[in-house]
Amino acid sequence: MKKYRQNVAAIIINAERKIWIGERIDKLAWGFAQGGIDEGETDEMALRREMLEELATNDFDIIAKYPGTLKYDFPAGMEFPTWTYAGQEQQYFLLRLHENAQIDIEKNDHEFAQYKFLQFDELVKLDFGFKNEVYRKALEYFKPIILG
């Protein structure tokens, strides 16, 4: 049986209902803020920790949560130095940044080289590689809320 890393992921919108997307520091892909759930953490605790680590902010409100989890497999040959999993099982959250929220991708973990905010229609045209199916399911679920 495949073993999946338990993970949280954030689809983040700003006051203009644009969606945050970051380019990984290794330039392999653009994606959402995400990270593993540590032992003893709830998914919400992990989400708040990951937002502090990756974006240096907790200036947001959780406005929705995907019902259940979404899984993806890592491509063949993708390896990590400290763990081996078949892929990730993610709990998705939809977040709204506070109006004056500041994001600093260089402050802590520095997992992203750059970021931008895109309209929903722009975002869904991007190719997220092996994460395409999971990203599309989460975005489709949150679409009515994002577009308001």
Side-chain angles (χ1 to χ4, degrees):
M1 188 164 143
K2 292 182 179 180
K3 186 175 178 183
Y4 290 87
R5 180 177 182 236
Q6 298 303 298
N7 185 286
V8 292
I11 296 176
I12 306 161
I13 60 174
N14 63 14
E16 292 83 37
R17 296 187 181 273
K18 290 184 176 181
I19 303 164
W20 186 95
I21 191 85
E23 183 183 30
R24 290 177 42 89
I25 198 83
D26 58 16
K27 306 282 188 172
L28 289 177
W30 286 79
F32 301 128
Q34 65 175 42
I37 300 172
D38 291 341
E39 188 174 332
E41 282 185 320
T42 65
D43 53 5
E44 188 174 323
M45 289 166 60
L47 173 74
R48 292 188 181 282
R49 177 183 48 74
E50 287 295 333
M51 289 293 292
L52 276 174
E53 288 176 3
E54 294 183 5
L55 277 60
T57 189
N58 254 330
D59 293 335
F60 62 85
D61 295 313
I62 298 172
I63 55 176
K65 183 177 178 181
Y66 189 88
T69 58
L70 296 170
K71 290 181 187 176
Y72 63 81
D73 289 340
F74 294 128
M78 182 176 267
E79 296 180 10
F80 298 90
T82 58
W83 43 266
T84 58
Y85 293 99
Q88 299 201 97
E89 181 173 6
Q90 299 182 300
Q91 175 64 65
Y92 273 81
F93 290 87
L94 180 62
L95 311 180
R96 180 180 293 122
L97 287 174
H98 296 164
E99 192 169 335
N100 296 318
Q102 299 294 311
I103 292 174
D104 185 349
I105 59 172
E106 296 179 12
K107 186 172 183 177
N108 298 319
D109 284 0
H110 203 177
E111 293 187 28
F112 296 100
Q114 62 178 320
Y115 70 92
K116 55 188 171 184
F117 286 90
L118 297 176
Q119 297 285 352
F120 186 90
D121 292 343
E122 296 173 295
L123 184 68
V124 296
K125 292 177 184 173
L126 297 179
D127 179 6
F128 298 106
F130 63 94
K131 296 180 184 179
N132 267 335
E133 184 179 345
V134 167
Y135 275 29
R136 302 230 186 287
K137 282 182 183 177
L139 286 165
E140 192 60 33
Y141 178 79
F142 293 129
K143 182 179 180 178
I145 303 168
I146 293 169
L147 299 180

